[in-house]
Amino acid sequence: MKLIPLPAFTDNYIWLLHDGQQALVVDPGDAQTVLAALQRCKVQLGTILVTHHHPDHTGGVAALRQATGAQVFGPAREVMPEPLTRVGEADRLRFLGLDFKVMEVPGHTAGHIAYYCAEMDGAPLLFCGDTLFSGGCGRLFEGSPAQMLASLDRLSALPDSTRVCCAHEYTMSNLKFAAAIEPDNLLLARYTASARQLRSEQQPTLPSTLLLERQINPFLRTRQAAVIQAAQGFDATANDEVGIFAALRQWKNQFQ
Ligand code: ZN
Ligand code: FE
């Protein structure tokens, strides 16, 4: 099985998974990028998975469906390009001989979903769209801090070895913020050096792993003393879990 992040626009990744014959893609914001990759890999597109309604994730869906006849799956509760099969919490799907489970992870958008496969070539696989990024999380466009924290807690509870397939290459700017929150986090410093090296070679920093994200991502570390202290330095009124998370997210929004 091959798992390939296809760069699109300035910082999106469209994830391509194929077995040498059949393929699926996740969040194809751009059709041309996917069609070129299908040709390069000599595979046929059977399935399109969408995590949420934003145009940088859905823009290529209609053209790809027309060109390939692929079946489209997307969130039950969002305005989406029709026709598609709508899926929600705990729905089980089978593609390329793999079992996927749908998780509803609201916060970035109100109906955002993630696709989780418990086992693919020896480790789990998570397509989390704009909910979890390496070193960061999505902006709260439609959901509340409490919703996003609950969604991230659910993702964070997945196994250590889960490969985290995010929809954007935001890693370096996220790590800059993470370093401001936890300047003494050695694993964060080490990861930042290796991510910087990858980016200087135009390589993706993704997929990440959940073990790594739990070690370095401040938005998965909101109960750590150092993170609480930093968040309260930004907003002295933040005094519970949700308040700490909200303060961090607010701070990140205005962080340069
Ligand atoms: Zn988005
Ligand atoms: Fe996006």
Side-chain angles (χ1 to χ4, degrees), residues 76 86-93 100-104 116:
R86 293 183 175 274
V87 294
E89 182 63 33
D91 279 350
R92 290 185 177 271
L93 308 165
F100 284 83
K101 192 181 76 173
V102 177
M103 299 172 75
E104 293 189 357
Y116 175 71

Side-chain angles (χ1 to χ4, degrees), residues 52 54 56-57 108 130:
H52 67 292
H54 287 158
D56 61 315
H57 301 250
H108 177 68
D130 287 357

Side-chain angles (χ1 to χ4, degrees), residues 38-59:
L38 294 171
Q39 209 158 47
R40 212 165 47 237
C41 301
K42 301 186 175 62
V43 291
Q44 285 200 318
L45 188 66
T47 306
I48 298 170
L49 305 182
V50 180
T51 62
H52 67 292
H53 68 84
H54 287 158
D56 61 315
H57 301 250
T58 60

